[in-house]
């Protein structure tokens, strides 16, 4: 397989699902001795690539035009960025024999796609977030995105994301859906052998603590739930801008003694946290393109409750592989949790079906094999 050039010029650098997906994908390709290079301004990926000994080069191309001021400045920054990007494309095509350009952010999709195509390179875009957000739907450079998308293979992580880009104007023939995958090896020994809960009933979630994740609805639901399950505990794995406010709400509801905020955890520790949960809850209230943490919980054999939102129903089939709840509905969270607590045999049967679904559709090996087809 010919070398791959990975590009990312984001608005800001954060460790999220997209970054985790990129590292997971290329770690697998590195094991298969498939060469690749990273160029960009994403400090998270630059540091992660260098830490692993993978080739990475810092490069500037301005801020991604996904906010008002970055969009205003984009035409001016592009004048200075384009010559450098042209040089990057020519260098890696001619001197590193790169045949595939893998674009992660809006900037290089708009600026580099036509250049790469003229140089005879295949262009792949990856989209983790639905296009219905203002960042693209109202973007002044949207027309270029739609035009150039016809020169690329646009990979989305769910059919829900694909549908939102089709509504934007991206040709359906350009889009391919490849679900995120999880490595099942760390989860093989974690499955429960009993359908009866221990003395302490532990609810848990693994999530970035941001407004769109709806954790304040979970805290209010948990406050009510303690009336029926006084020995329940809530464990929140993750960090984010909402953490202090959520900790304040926990104290305000007088549940802070039974709610544990454990902060950000390294990916290799996540399976063990999931194994300790009797029920996993993801109460998102908007923009949930897929839900990797849901698949991880299913791989750990944990009963799942999640919002009926975005791409989540493609993973959680209500009443079959988990329970779906209405967004922004604390009462529905309480009802679903009590259903799991009061009917453990039924909950564990759903969990077994969920694991079988993960084995069939959401494994890392399955994801890598599909990507390899487009990288060839």
């Amino acid at each position: 397989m010919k070398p791959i050039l990975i590009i990312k010029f984001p608005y800001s650098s954060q460790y999220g699902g997209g970054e985790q997906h990129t590292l997971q994908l290329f770690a697998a390709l590195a094991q298969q001795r498939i060469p690749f290079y990273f160029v960009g301004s994403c400090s998270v990926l630059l540091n992660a690539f260098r830490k692993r000994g993978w080739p990475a080069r810092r490069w500037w191309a301005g801020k991604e035009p996904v906010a008002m001021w970055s969009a205003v400045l984009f035409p001016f920054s592009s004048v200075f960025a384009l010559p450098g990007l042209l040089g990057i494309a020519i260098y890696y095509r001619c001197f590193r024999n790169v045949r595939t350009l893998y674009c992660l952010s809006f900037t290089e999709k708009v600026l580099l796609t036509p250049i790469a195509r003229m140089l005879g390179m295949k262009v792949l875009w990856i989209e983790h977030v639905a296009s219905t957000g203002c960042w693209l739907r109202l973007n002044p450079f949207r027309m270029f995105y739609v035009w150039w998308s016809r020169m690329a293979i646009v990979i989305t992580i769910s059919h829900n994301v694909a549908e939102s880009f089709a509504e934007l104007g991206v040709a359906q023939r350009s889009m391919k859906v490849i679900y995120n995958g999880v490595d099942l090896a760390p989860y093989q020994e974690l499955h429960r052998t009993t359908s009866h809960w221990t003395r302490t009933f532990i609810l848990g979630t693994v999530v970035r603590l941001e407004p769109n994740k709806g954790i304040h609805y979970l805290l209010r639901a948990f406050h009510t739930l303690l009336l029926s399950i006084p020995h329940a505990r809530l464990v929140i794995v993750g960090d984010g801008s909402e953490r202090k406010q959520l900790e304040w709400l926990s104290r305000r509801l007088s549940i802070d003694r039974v709610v544990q905020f454990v902060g950000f955890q390294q990916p290799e520790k996540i399976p063990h946290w999931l194994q300790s949960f009797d029920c996993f809850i993801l109460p998102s209230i908007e923009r949930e393109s897929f839900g990797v943490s849901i698949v991880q919980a299913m791989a750990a054999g944990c009963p799942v409750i999640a919002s009926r939102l975005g791409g989540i129903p493609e993973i959680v089939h209500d009443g079959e592989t988990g329970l779906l709840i209405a967004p922004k509905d604390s009462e529905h969270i309480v009802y679903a949790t009590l259903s799991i607590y009061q009917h453990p045999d039924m909950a564990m049967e759903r969990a077994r079906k969920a694991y079988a679904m993960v084995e069939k559709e959401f494994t890392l090996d399955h994801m890598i094999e599909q990507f390899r087809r487009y990288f060839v």
Side-chain angles (χ1 to χ4, degrees):
M1 186 179 291
K2 300 296 183 181
I4 302 162
L5 177 60
I6 310 149
I7 303 278
K8 186 171 186 179
F9 299 108
Y11 179 80
S12 61
S13 296
Q14 296 180 348
Y15 185 84
E19 289 72 24
Q20 183 178 345
H21 180 275
T22 302
L23 294 174
Q24 189 180 47
L25 171 62
F26 286 96
L29 295 181
Q31 289 181 348
Q32 299 175 17
R33 300 187 181 279
I34 296 171
F36 53 82
Y37 307 92
F38 177 79
V39 175
S41 57
C42 178
S43 58
V44 169
L45 290 183
L46 278 166
N47 293 336
F49 271 58
R50 289 169 177 169
K51 182 179 179 181
R52 291 163 171 77
W54 301 342
R57 173 182 294 184
R58 183 178 294 278
W59 200 266
W60 177 88
K63 276 191 173 292
E64 189 180 16
V66 294
M68 183 178 69
W69 286 113
S70 61
V72 169
L73 294 173
F74 187 66
F76 304 99
S77 63
S78 297
V79 171
F80 298 97
L82 266 173
L85 293 177
L86 177 61
I88 285 286
I90 292 173
Y91 171 79
Y92 281 97
R93 175 66 183 86
C94 297
F95 297 98
R96 290 291 181 264
N97 198 27
V98 166
R99 298 295 179 87
T100 301
L101 178 68
Y102 187 63
C103 301
L104 296 167
S105 55
F106 187 90
T107 299
E108 67 273 7
K109 290 168 186 173
V110 170
L111 297 181
L112 262 179
T113 295
I115 294 173
R117 293 296 293 147
M118 284 189 290
L119 291 172
M121 298 166 68
K122 179 190 289 187
V123 179
L124 274 67
W125 296 0
I126 179 70
E127 295 296 354
H128 295 275
V129 181
S131 71
T132 49
C134 294
W135 72 274
L136 185 51
R137 183 167 43 84
L138 302 180
N139 197 297
F141 308 103
R142 165 182 160 175
M143 67 179 74
F144 297 104
Y145 180 96
V146 173
W147 286 344
W148 301 149
S149 69
R150 285 156 173 75
M151 297 183 178
I153 298 171
V154 182
I155 297 174
T156 67
I157 61 170
S158 70
H159 290 284
N160 175 263
V161 174
E163 288 167 6
S164 74
F165 278 91
E167 292 171 2
L168 186 76
V170 176
Q172 290 189 353
R173 60 180 173 80
S174 299
M175 290 187 288
K176 310 294 178 185
V177 175
I178 301 180
Y179 287 124
N180 288 341
V182 298
D183 182 4
L184 290 183
Y187 299 92
Q188 296 292 335
E189 304 301 323
L190 298 181
H191 287 204
R192 303 170 190 276
T193 58
T194 176
S195 60
H196 299 286
W197 313 128
T198 57
R199 185 175 180 181
T200 301
F201 184 72
I202 301 177
L203 288 75
T205 189
V206 178
V207 67
R208 285 178 61 188
L209 301 182
E210 301 297 338
N212 63 304
K213 298 302 182 180
I215 300 302
H216 51 294
Y217 289 98
L218 175 58
L219 289 173
R220 294 185 185 280
F222 184 69
H223 175 258
T224 303
L225 196 66
L226 286 171
L227 298 174
S228 301
I229 316 176
H231 55 279
R233 300 293 181 269
L234 175 61
V235 177
I236 299 173
V237 179
D239 213 334
S241 63
E242 287 266 288
R243 178 168 178 173
K244 288 185 178 180
Q245 184 176 353
L246 293 170
E247 289 176 334
W248 172 85
L249 178 59
S250 176
R251 292 190 295 271
R252 178 73 179 272
L253 294 171
S254 300
I255 59 174
D256 51 300
R257 288 189 304 150
V258 288
V259 176
Q260 183 181 7
F261 290 85
V262 301
F264 173 80
Q265 300 292 304
Q266 292 298 327
E268 61 271 16
K269 295 183 179 180
I270 297 302
H272 298 284
W273 282 106
L274 291 169
Q275 188 268 342
S276 70
F277 299 163
D278 294 308
C279 174
F280 174 88
I281 304 178
L282 186 66
S284 303
I285 59 175
E286 62 179 33
R287 209 184 69 180
E288 197 66 64
S289 303
F290 182 72
V292 172
S293 60
I294 296 174
V295 178
Q296 292 173 324
M298 293 163 71
C302 186
V304 166
I305 298 171
S307 296
R308 191 187 300 272
L309 187 74
I312 290 177
E314 297 177 42
I315 311 168
V316 180
H317 299 167
D318 192 27
E320 184 177 346
T321 60
L323 296 177
L324 293 175
I325 56 173
K328 302 182 181 180
D329 192 336
S330 294
E331 289 185 13
H332 206 170
I333 295 174
V334 172
Y335 175 81
T337 306
L338 284 174
S339 175
I340 287 176
Y341 178 74
Q342 294 168 353
H343 304 96
D345 292 320
M346 188 181 301
M348 295 313 300
E349 178 59 26
R350 285 194 295 264
R352 284 187 284 271
K353 290 180 179 178
Y355 180 79
M357 184 180 180
V358 172
E359 276 191 311
K360 182 179 179 182
E361 299 184 36
F362 303 125
T363 65
L364 180 61
D365 288 343
H366 186 59
M367 183 187 86
I368 299 302
E369 184 56 37
Q370 290 183 83
F371 268 101
R372 278 180 59 94
R373 271 187 258 156
Y374 297 112
F375 283 145
V376 172

